[in-house]
Every structure is written in C-alpha cells, then in structure tokens.
Amino acid sequence: MTATPRPPLRALTLLAALFSALLLSAPALAIAPFVLDQGNITDKVGALGDRRDDVQAAIDRLQSDAEVGFYVVYVDSFGNLQPDEWANTTAVESGLGTDDLLLAIATEDRRYTWSVEEDFPLDDEKLNEVAKKAIEPELARDEWAQATINAADGYRAVAAGEPVPDSSGNDSRLLTGLLCLAAAVAVAIAGFLWWRTLRSPKEKDSESEGTPVAELEGRADTLLVETDDALRTSELELAFAQSEFGEAATADFAATVEGARTDLADAFRVRQQLDDERPETESEQRDLLTRIIDRLNAANSRLDADAEQFDRLRDLGRRAPEGLERLRGMQTEVTAALPGVDETLSQLRESYPETAIGPVAEAADDARDRMLFVGAHLDAAHEAIADGRSGEAAVELRACEEALSQGQQLVNSVVRRSQELRRAEHDLPEVVDRVDREISAASEDEADDERLRAAVASARQSMEEIRSQTAAGEYDPIALTLKAEQTAEALAEQTERLRDEEENARRAHDQLRQALDSAVAAIGAAEDYVATHRGAVGPRARTRLNEAKAALAHAQHDGASEPVASLKAATRAGRLASEAADLAERDVQAYRDPLDQRVPGPMGNSSNAGAILGGILLGGMLGGGGRGGGRSPGWGQPSHRPGPGSFGGVGTRGRRGGGGRF
C-alpha cells in the first residue's frame, strides 16, 4: 500500500497564510485609552491563557528588587491613535507616576509601545535595549506571556547594572508550531465561520453605534479638565520664557498656545450647548461629545508637538542655578506682600459680609501655603544642583514657578476684590435709580400687556429686596449690582418690543458701561479662584467661566455698533461668571470635606496638599489621574509623590516612550 504523501511545509505555510488573511479581514477591535483598574495586568484579548500567574510573579520580582511599578496591557488594536499616544493617554488617565512603566501590546496591529514619565529612573538607552533583546523576539513568535516576563526580568537586570538576559529562540518552538499548524488552520476556519454567521444584527448595529453616551461624556469631561490645566500650565511656562528670551524667540510657541486656546474654547462652547435648557437626542449628544473630544485632541496635539522643542529652549536643568536665584527673588516679593493682604482682608470683613469676601476669604492662607511649598522645593532644587542632579532640579524649579505665580495671583486677587467692592458700593445707588426709572417707564405701558405687567411686578419685588438689604447694613454690593442688572435685562425683554430701535439702543448704551464693569469683576474673581484651586474644580465651573469670557469679549467688541446685543452679552457674562464661581466653590468644598474619600493620602508633606489643590502637583483629584504625575490607580497607594506639569498637552507632556512593530 502506497503511503499518503505529507503536504510539504511550503504548502502548509501557504494554507495558513491564506486563512490568516481571511481572519484578518475582520476588523481588529480598537479600544480607546482607558483607566487601568485591574491591577498590573489588563488582558483584553485573552493573550496570557494560563500563564497570568507567571507574568504576575515576574512583575512582583521587579517591584521588589527595583521598586518599579510595571503595568502591561494587551489589546487588539490601538485604533487611529499612534501607539505612543494611546499608551501615554492611558498612563496619564490611570495616574501612573514617576516609578511606573506601562507596556502596551496590540496583538492584531502587531505593534507595541512602552511609556514612562520623564523622570523614570531608567534612561531610554536601557529601555530600548530591553525592548530589542527581551520583548520583540518573543512578540514576533506570539509568545505574549513570555514577552512580558522577559521585559520584567530585563528591567530588573538593567536597574541592577546587569546585562539583559538572552531571549534567543529555540528551534523546538518552530517544530512545535509546525506540528500544530494543521490543527490551528482547522480551528481558524471554524472560528471565522462562527464569527461571521453567529453574530446577531443587534451586535453588529451596536458596533456601528460607537461608545455609549455616558462613557463618552465621562471621557469628554475628564479631557476638558486635563486640557484646560495643560493649557494653563503651558501659558504660564510661555510667559516665563517670554520674559527670559523675548517675544521674537517664543513667537512660534505663542502661536501654538493661541491655536490650542481656540480649540479648547470651541470644546467648552459645545459643552455649554449640552448643558443648556434644550435637551438633545442621544444621537445629538454623541455627536456633540465626539466634537468636544476631537477639539481637545487637536489642542493637545498642538501643544505636544512643540513640547520637546520648548523644553530645549528653556533648558531649566542646565540653567538651574540662575533659575533658583530668580525664583528666590520672587519668593521674597510675594512673602513681603502677605502682611498687606492680611490687613486688606481685615478691613473688608469690617465693611462687608463674608459672602462678599468669599472668593478671596482664604487667599492669604492659600498664598502662605504656596510659599511654604516654594521654600521646601527651592531648598530641594538647591540640593539637587549641588549634587549635579540637573534634571531633578528642573522639576523642582518648574513646580516653584507655578506656585509663585499662584501666590502672586492670590495676593492680587485680594487687592482687586477690595477695589471692585468699593467701586460697586459707590455705583450701586446710581444703578438702583436707573432701574427704578426703567420700571416707572415700563409701568406706563403695562395696563394693556399682561406679560409686561408680570415683568414690572417681578422687577419691583427684586428692587425692593435690594433696597432692604442695603438698608440693613452690611451687604455685597457686587452681588446686588448683578441682581439689579439682571432685573433690568429681564424687564427690557418685555419693553424692547414696545419701543423703537433708536430708543432701545440709547437705553442699552447708557447701561452698558456698568454692566461691563460688573461682568469684568465677576469673571476676574471666578478666574482667580479657578486658577488657584484648579486641582479640585470640575468641568461645569470651567465651562461656565469660559462661556462668560466669550460673552464678555462679544460685549466689549460690539458695544459701539450693537449696544442692545452687547448689553445682553455683558449681563449674561456676569451671570455665567457668578455660576462658575458658585460651582467652583462647591467643588473645592467637596474636596476639602474631611469625609470626602477622594482626598489623596500620602503627599510627602503638608505643603504639598495646597500644591495639589492648586493643580501645581498633578494628583488626580478628578478621577485619579493627571499629566506628569498623580495617584496610582484605586487598587493601591501612591508609590511616588506627585510631580509638576510642564509645557505640552495631556497625552505626551512629561512622558517618553518607544516600541515598534513585531
């Protein structure tokens, strides 16, 4: 009997390739960046099989011997994002810190990447050596678990100054693979047919519908906060660079920041649209949230693209000694101003209720807290310079720059609040008289108009409340001025249709200056508060503040040509700014509540608490993550102290990485 000939290896290989291509025609499941909440290992594709414990053991050895937190993620695909962008965003959103490393592997894309913070203890040369010698060879053979085990052992070796263990393959692996090839092809055929035929139409539709609205909204809100913080830090660093090198040398960076500012403003505008009274359908919500995320990604991409070049320009590490001297001088100036702030606050409390002082009530204490932080970290920078640790000195100085800026802003906020309260107190009688005249004029036409009668009655009641508060003694003149202006605007909505265009324009022109002054005061107070407490301020307060600024800009730009529209915009700006301040204060109060479990535990020293609240040290108060620093995910305590932000966007600022194809 003639033996049946075995299929040649070439034919087997060709057959496998054909069916592999068939399987790969199904789209890989792209997963958006996400918060790592499953410990060190996140396996979305079942790559580890029964070797998960082996991988965890290798990770534990690395943690024990080198004090490196190692996190590995297996997904099908990074989607439309570049691997480094995907990994950096995941690391940032998860709050991975200076001693943590993320290895991300996309099994279907055949790509991998690693991501660490700028101050991670291993340099790029060592990390790349581990990647080439220990990780890539195993990934090329689809040995997913072994690749991670080798990575952990490789990092442990280079941290100890030893060579990376050899990861050369064994020929037996090829033989084993050939013996299993025919069975694998059969399984592939069956699996592909099952996948194509058993999926329900509903499952197919859900794929096309995209991410659930609630998940999109959460991602959009987190990205709004993080991008707003990134832009604020970038603006501050740009201001320092402009003072050092001049506007000509920093013009390109200024243009980048302006472009990111426009993108962010567009995102906030869409967020406000979602927050307004008109309800959107689920499809409309998804479209609007996607637009927000797209605009924020554009803003971050702009900033990230220039981050490395900006760091080279400033070169804080090389110029650390002169930077230290400059910041010591700023520290002296802010500290010297604090007794005057105490005196001003004391005078304000003698004249006004606490509600009038509210936005700046704790400004002196907060400024002292920032100066305590500055003192400690300038000393740390001095020690780092003396020891030749220029990179560490740069990080300390960057944190001090923002703390000093906030300290000065807190001092200025008290001075400005005092001036605005005095001015509002002086102008309030005139505002009240003007609104009373508007009510009297409107009452002449109210007999034949039911809506106007109701508006006049409401306006009279509102003004009576204002007069009652002023007669009682202590009152908030800024709040009462805003109330009077909003009363006048509500009345004007009914009287404008009864008057000619010229009369309406004249009335609006007479009221516009005071409305603009009130809006500027309200926005200034809200901006100071958000900027110096942004570590705890959420998306709603920031959205209202951004919309208030946009309304004010419109009122100021079109005041002469369109006084009626400008008056409406100015009044709206003041109202939105007040809402922003209220929302921000609630956010901060919730954070400061000792029962609030979001408060980070170990923060190094007491001065760091205020620095995290101010967003100087990035510590994940809103969702457990922040750029360039933050808390470890919820399963454990931080293994590092939070770090400061720097010029750049959310995804890549302050991080480095590598990787490639396999």
Side-chain angles (χ1 to χ4, degrees):
M1 182 176 178
T2 306
T4 303
R6 292 179 298 171
L9 178 58
R10 182 177 179 183
L12 259 180
T13 304
L14 178 59
L15 184 61
L18 287 172
F19 282 106
S20 294
L22 183 63
L23 282 174
L24 290 174
S25 67
L29 179 60
I31 297 179
F34 57 90
V35 174
L36 303 177
D37 58 2
Q38 299 178 19
N40 297 92
I41 303 170
T42 304
D43 185 0
K44 298 284 189 180
V45 296
L48 295 182
D50 60 359
R51 300 203 64 193
R52 187 184 185 95
D53 290 345
D54 296 338
V55 173
Q56 186 63 56
I59 291 173
D60 292 343
R61 289 195 299 271
L62 174 62
Q63 174 69 50
S64 175
D65 294 350
E67 297 185 348
V68 168
F70 184 22
Y71 301 86
V72 61
V73 176
Y74 302 87
V75 294
D76 279 319
S77 170
F78 298 131
N80 294 327
L81 297 180
Q82 291 297 316
D84 60 342
E85 183 181 1
W86 191 98
N88 288 329
T89 304
T90 294
V92 167
E93 290 185 0
S94 302
L96 301 193
T98 51
D99 298 323
D100 297 327
L101 183 150
L102 172 64
L103 175 63
I105 300 167
T107 56
E108 294 297 324
D109 286 353
R110 312 293 294 179
R111 304 181 79 174
Y112 77 102
T113 185
W114 48 265
S115 173
V116 296
E117 280 195 16
E118 193 66 41
D119 300 319
F120 186 72
L122 300 180
D123 60 28
D124 286 353
E125 182 179 357
K126 291 185 175 65
L127 292 171
N128 283 323
E129 182 183 3
V130 173
K132 296 300 180 185
K133 292 184 178 180
I135 300 175
E136 277 191 22
E138 300 297 340
L139 292 179
R141 294 189 283 266
D142 292 353
E143 294 286 348
W144 313 119
Q146 195 62 45
T148 303
I149 293 170
N150 287 2
D153 291 343
Y155 298 137
R156 190 161 55 96
V158 296
E162 301 171 357
V164 178
D166 186 15
S167 177
S168 58
N170 190 310
D171 289 341
S172 63
R173 286 181 179 154
L174 178 59
L175 178 59
T176 301
L178 291 174
L179 291 174
C180 295
L181 190 54
V185 168
V187 171
I189 296 171
F192 178 74
L193 292 176
W194 176 85
W195 182 84
R196 289 295 299 268
T197 59
L198 296 187
R199 286 190 311 154
S200 68
K202 183 177 180 180
E203 289 172 326
K204 296 175 184 178
D205 291 342
S206 67
E207 289 178 1
S208 64
E209 287 174 2
T211 309
V213 168
E215 185 177 334
L216 271 179
E217 184 171 19
R219 185 178 176 197
D221 282 350
T222 298
L223 198 55
L224 267 173
V225 171
E226 292 178 340
T227 306
D228 188 38
D229 284 350
L231 181 60
R232 288 174 181 273
T233 300
S234 297
E235 288 172 334
L236 175 64
E237 286 225 40
L238 175 63
F240 275 106
Q242 288 172 330
S243 68
E244 291 180 90
F245 306 107
E247 294 189 1
T250 56
D252 289 344
F253 301 117
T256 295
V257 167
E258 182 59 34
R261 187 183 294 121
T262 300
D263 290 330
L264 178 61
D266 289 344
F268 272 125
R269 193 170 301 116
V270 178
R271 176 70 258 190
Q272 180 64 36
Q273 184 178 340
L274 282 166
D275 288 347
D276 64 19
E277 296 179 356
R278 176 189 173 273
E280 287 83 11
T281 66
E282 182 176 327
S283 177
E284 289 173 332
Q285 291 179 55
R286 180 176 287 106
D287 289 344
L288 292 173
L289 290 167
T290 300
R291 281 173 56 190
I292 291 172
I293 293 171
D294 288 345
R295 299 313 299 162
L296 296 175
N297 285 337
N300 285 298
S301 294
R302 291 178 191 272
L303 296 171
D304 287 333
D306 279 1
E308 185 176 348
Q309 186 178 353
F310 185 88
D311 288 343
R312 285 199 297 268
L313 171 69
R314 292 207 71 193
D315 197 5
L316 280 176
R318 183 179 61 81
R319 299 184 303 108
E322 61 188 85
L324 178 64
E325 189 67 24
R326 172 173 52 86
L327 296 181
R328 290 281 192 200
M330 293 179 62
Q331 178 192 24
T332 300
E333 292 177 7
V334 175
T335 302
L338 291 178
V341 173
D342 290 329
E343 183 177 354
T344 299
L345 285 172
S346 178
Q347 293 171 353
L348 291 177
R349 287 191 168 94
E350 292 176 0
S351 304
Y352 304 103
E354 197 66 24
T355 54
I357 308 166
V360 298
E362 299 179 359
D365 291 339
D366 286 343
R368 283 190 170 84
D369 180 273
R370 302 300 188 273
M371 292 307 100
L372 176 64
F373 174 89
V374 168
H377 288 264
L378 286 180
D379 289 345
H382 177 77
E383 293 179 7
I385 292 170
D387 293 343
R389 294 176 279 117
S390 60
E392 184 175 330
V395 173
E396 300 288 355
L397 294 178
R398 188 180 293 121
C400 290
E401 284 180 343
E402 187 145 10
L404 284 163
S405 177
Q406 287 193 15
Q408 186 63 63
Q409 190 169 9
L410 288 161
V411 168
N412 293 342
S413 71
V414 175
V415 175
R416 181 167 58 248
R417 189 67 174 179
S418 175
Q419 294 170 343
E420 290 167 347
L421 283 168
R422 306 295 184 192
R423 183 168 59 247
E425 183 179 20
H426 177 271
D427 292 346
L428 182 59
E430 178 185 342
V431 175
V432 170
D433 287 344
R434 172 170 51 77
V435 179
D436 283 341
R437 290 194 300 271
E438 290 287 327
I439 294 173
S440 297
S443 65
E444 297 176 3
D445 302 318
E446 67 176 308
D448 299 325
D449 192 306
E450 184 177 347
R451 286 185 297 168
L452 183 56
R453 282 199 305 273
V456 168
S458 177
R460 283 176 174 154
Q461 180 181 351
S462 178
M463 297 309 295
E464 186 59 36
E465 292 171 355
I466 291 175
R467 277 188 287 272
S468 175
Q469 290 185 51
T470 56
E474 286 188 355
Y475 60 90
D476 181 349
I478 293 177
L480 293 186
T481 299
L482 284 171
K483 183 175 182 178
E485 289 167 350
Q486 290 166 9
T487 299
E489 188 60 30
L491 182 62
E493 290 179 2
Q494 300 303 323
T495 60
E496 283 175 2
R497 56 190 171 83
L498 304 176
R499 298 172 181 171
D500 60 41
E501 185 176 337
E502 183 177 346
E503 186 178 0
N504 285 328
R506 184 171 58 253
R507 179 194 66 84
H509 184 271
D510 292 342
Q511 299 177 19
L512 183 58
R513 183 196 64 80
Q514 183 59 53
L516 287 172
D517 287 346
S518 297
V520 168
I523 289 173
E527 172 61 31
D528 285 339
Y529 191 83
V530 170
T532 54
H533 299 79
R534 58 189 172 90
V537 176
R540 297 298 184 271
R542 297 173 192 243
T543 298
R544 299 297 187 280
L545 179 56
N546 181 83
E547 196 68 9
K549 291 177 182 177
L552 177 62
H554 171 63
Q556 292 172 326
H557 182 268
D558 298 332
S561 59
E562 299 180 15
V564 174
S566 296
L567 179 60
K568 292 180 183 296
T571 304
R572 181 169 182 265
R575 175 177 57 80
L576 287 168
S578 295
E579 291 178 10
D582 289 343
L583 289 167
E585 288 184 42
R586 278 185 235 162
D587 286 341
V588 172
Q589 184 58 42
Y591 170 74
R592 281 177 160 157
D593 186 339
L595 298 179
D596 192 330
Q597 297 304 307
R598 293 176 302 169
V599 178
M603 288 186 282
N605 61 63
S606 60
S607 70
N608 281 355
I612 293 178
L613 178 60
I616 299 164
L617 297 182
L618 307 169
M621 297 190 182
L622 301 172
R627 303 169 321 283
R631 287 191 290 164
S632 298
W635 61 84
Q637 294 295 332
S639 59
H640 63 286
R641 67 174 174 80
S646 59
F647 187 98
V650 170
T652 59
R653 185 169 57 155
R655 300 195 69 83
R656 52 192 171 92
R661 298 183 182 275
F662 57 86

